[in-house]
Amino acid sequence: MKSILLIEDNADILENLKEYLEMEGFHIFSTNNGKRGIELACEFIPDLIICDMPRSGINRHGVLQLLISIPAIAKIPFIFISTLSELIDKTDALLFGADDYVVKPFDLEKMLVIAKACILSGSKRQICAA
């Protein structure tokens, strides 16, 4: 069973997305906190990470940057979800290393398609060997 880590500060969105993805056969780890999200990613090594910008603690770019610095997690596909809909927001997210960027509100079926595609194709992020 494929697993997904959800990091989302809105309790309603978190619960709806979690329930929907579980009904579609995914094992879901979830939190409303970026720091806890990093801990869960390290502990469980999910197949995909979907992350919004938590209101407190580490921001979404910080979460991504910390996660891709950890070799065991660096190649896990990462999707940002956000209410920020300007092209510059999506561009920044992709430049920081996200594999996709989905604007809220989003259709759950669309998110499922994107999640499955990311899991199947893996991360597009280039990992540089030191």
Side-chain angles (χ1 to χ4, degrees):
M1 178 182 295
K2 298 293 184 180
S3 63
I4 299 174
L5 170 60
L6 301 176
I7 306 169
E8 168 60 63
D9 62 350
N10 181 302
D12 292 333
I13 293 173
L14 181 64
E15 190 60 30
N16 288 339
L17 188 54
K18 178 182 178 188
E19 286 180 14
Y20 181 78
L21 292 172
E22 284 175 337
M23 287 190 305
E24 292 297 327
F26 293 97
H27 183 79
I28 304 298
F29 304 100
S30 64
T31 182
N32 65 351
N33 177 287
K35 183 175 186 275
R36 181 67 182 134
I38 293 166
E39 293 168 357
L40 288 171
C42 292
E43 184 176 350
F44 296 106
I45 315 293
D47 296 293
L48 174 65
I49 299 169
I50 299 174
C51 180
D52 182 39
M53 183 179 352
R55 290 182 188 158
S56 61
I58 304 168
N59 70 28
R60 63 185 177 175
H61 292 146
V63 170
L64 176 58
Q65 292 302 299
L66 283 169
L67 289 174
I68 63 177
S69 72
I70 301 168
I73 300 169
K75 290 193 174 190
I76 295 172
F78 191 101
I79 300 171
F80 276 134
I81 55 176
S82 179
T83 57
L84 302 174
S85 61
E86 297 294 323
L87 180 58
I88 189 68
D89 299 313
K90 180 175 183 173
T91 302
D92 283 349
L94 297 174
L95 288 173
F96 270 95
D99 293 287
D100 210 334
Y101 187 93
V102 178
V103 177
K104 295 180 197 177
F106 52 81
D107 179 76
L108 290 173
E109 290 178 10
K110 178 182 177 183
M111 179 56 76
L112 177 64
V113 169
I114 293 168
K116 285 181 176 180
C118 282
I119 289 171
L120 284 175
S121 65
S123 179
K124 297 174 261 183
R125 188 179 319 106
Q126 296 297 312
I127 307 301
C128 300

